[in-house]
Amino acid sequence: MNYPKKVVIGDITVRDGFQHEEKFIPTEAKLWLAEELLLCGFKHIEVTNFGNPKGMPQFKDADDLFKAIRSSKRVEHLLPGASLTAITIREKAIERAIEARKEGFGPDRILLMVSTSESHQYKNSGLTIDEYFRMAEKYVPKALDAGLKINGTVSTIWGCPIEGPTDMSKAIDFAQRWLAIGASDVEHADHDGSASPDRVYKYFSMLLDKVQNPHKHIVHLHTTRGWGLANVLAALQAGMTNYESTLGGIGGQPANFVDGVPVSGTGAYYYKESTAVGLVTTEDMVVMMDEMGIDTNLDVDRVLETGKMVERIVGRKLRSESIHQGRIPKNLSGRL
């Protein structure tokens, strides 16, 4: 097997993970988790979404959460080396991030997203693909001038929950367009678990033939159908070195129902079963890579303990096997 010996893993539980929860996660719990992730060794964390909280009330505490992290004594020594991200799909959210940055508590990095599916693009942003790129071309320079880094995400690469199959080659073109606009990195997203290992390998091989620099490109995979780690292995084989995931594999789409109140959330194509979602599980991916001799620069045991606490925060058992089964022993136990 041919795969990298060192990777970077970002954890996006606080934003992408909790966005799917049907109860509001207390700001104090989000703060605790963000701190723990930094103490585990994660350098890249998604914190919140600066979009309108009316449709996504899980993010109504966005400003308060960022302010709390910026003033945290537990992690103040780690913040200079960390990248904290906010999702900013439309203009008002970008403007909000710029203002928060100027006020000293805002994100280091913002995320804009384009889909290869026209239907999903319009559902997600209210703009066509061409309109969205024109908006990005106008607003990315403003964000860069404010000192923000930009992530340009490409979604629905392997399939769309509305249209079905998509053209993978279109995503390569979009990734190159993001970099040309000024993005510092590009997230390549399996939106709903449509990716299979063979096509993951094919896509990232195609990508590296074009860009030849895996460090600017982030692998974002779901495990809705149970293929998550198989897809990670396929991406490793293709040569990808930058990954993101969530503890317990939670997340995926904004909930349609929060604290007993129906909200717009994702809309009609939301999963029928609220727990039948999820990204690749951080704990299992970290343990698997550790067993493969791949350096993640993370405290593996602390990652597992943090995963156990996330189960308590959300109130149910999650997808991670490693937090229950533990790591594979490195030494003989001494028992007969």
Side-chain angles (χ1 to χ4, degrees):
M1 298 179 73
N2 182 30
Y3 49 81
K5 296 302 180 184
K6 186 173 184 179
V7 300
V8 173
I9 298 177
D11 188 274
I12 58 176
T13 308
V14 186
R15 196 283 303 183
D16 203 337
F18 287 157
Q19 73 169 341
H20 201 89
E21 294 304 302
E22 294 189 347
K23 68 173 185 177
F24 180 75
I25 304 299
T27 307
E28 295 81 2
K30 294 173 184 171
L31 171 62
W32 178 88
L33 179 55
E35 292 172 332
E36 282 300 308
L37 291 170
L38 290 168
L39 292 166
C40 285
F42 292 98
K43 298 290 194 297
H44 304 279
I45 298 172
E46 272 188 13
V47 174
T48 191
N49 189 322
F50 272 167
N52 189 342
K54 183 178 180 180
M56 298 178 292
Q58 192 64 250
F59 305 122
K60 64 185 179 182
D61 60 351
D63 285 354
D64 291 340
L65 180 55
F66 257 113
K67 289 175 181 177
I69 295 172
R70 293 298 184 195
S71 61
S72 170
K73 298 299 183 183
R74 291 185 72 207
V75 295
E76 61 182 348
H77 61 296
L78 297 172
L79 290 176
S83 177
L84 306 182
T85 297
I87 310 306
T88 55
I89 300 299
R90 289 294 303 268
E91 298 92 330
K92 288 185 178 179
I94 299 171
E95 291 168 354
R96 184 179 173 190
I98 291 172
E99 188 60 31
R101 178 77 176 179
K102 290 178 179 177
E103 293 182 16
F105 68 88
D108 304 298
R109 175 175 172 266
I110 59 174
L111 183 151
L112 286 71
M113 186 176 77
V114 69
S115 303
T116 61
S117 158
E118 195 72 71
S119 299
H120 184 263
Q121 178 64 43
Y122 193 80
K123 182 66 179 177
N124 194 53
S125 69
L127 299 174
T128 67
I129 293 171
D130 285 343
E131 289 171 341
Y132 196 84
F133 269 124
R134 285 199 296 271
M135 182 276 290
E137 288 166 352
K138 178 180 178 181
Y139 275 84
V140 165
K142 296 180 181 182
L144 292 172
D145 287 344
L148 291 163
K149 291 185 177 180
I150 313 297
N151 171 267
T153 290
V154 183
S155 187
T156 64
I157 294 173
W158 293 275
C160 169
I162 302 172
E163 293 184 20
T166 53
D167 179 3
M168 290 192 298
S169 64
K170 186 186 290 187
I172 305 291
D173 295 337
F174 286 4
Q176 292 176 305
R177 190 167 179 181
W178 274 127
L179 294 173
I181 290 173
S184 57
D185 51 41
V186 178
E187 175 189 310
H188 301 260
D190 172 20
H191 179 79
D192 62 349
S194 296
S196 57
D198 59 322
R199 291 186 299 134
V200 168
Y201 179 82
K202 180 179 180 181
Y203 174 75
F204 286 117
S205 297
M206 289 165 51
L207 175 71
L208 293 183
D209 284 343
K210 293 283 188 179
V211 301
Q212 298 176 337
N213 182 355
H215 308 298
K216 286 182 175 287
H217 298 272
I218 302 164
V219 179
H220 175 111
L221 298 167
H222 286 228
T223 193
T224 312
R225 294 170 174 83
W227 307 336
L229 288 182
N231 287 336
V232 169
L233 184 59
L236 286 168
Q237 284 286 93
M240 299 302 292
T241 60
N242 203 338
Y243 296 79
E244 62 185 21
S245 52
T246 59
L247 291 162
I250 60 175
Q253 297 179 0
N256 286 358
F257 191 83
V258 179
D259 281 350
V261 180
V263 295
S264 57
T266 300
Y269 69 88
Y270 186 72
Y271 291 94
K272 293 180 177 64
E273 167 55 50
S274 64
T275 59
V277 297
L279 280 71
V280 167
T281 303
T282 297
E283 304 96 314
D284 294 346
M285 181 166 67
V286 169
V287 170
M288 182 185 82
M289 288 182 173
D290 182 62
E291 283 300 313
M292 294 171 67
I294 299 173
D295 179 13
T296 63
N297 199 36
L298 297 170
D299 182 335
V300 180
D301 292 318
R302 189 162 191 159
V303 169
L304 297 182
E305 290 303 313
T306 305
K308 291 177 184 177
M309 190 59 70
V310 169
E311 287 198 334
R312 298 185 68 182
I313 290 171
V314 301
R316 67 180 187 279
K317 183 177 180 180
L318 301 176
R319 290 187 176 216
S320 172
E321 299 297 333
S322 297
I323 66 171
H324 300 291
Q325 304 303 326
R327 301 171 67 183
I328 297 173
K330 301 294 184 184
N331 300 297
L332 297 174
S333 66
R335 294 179 295 179
L336 297 178

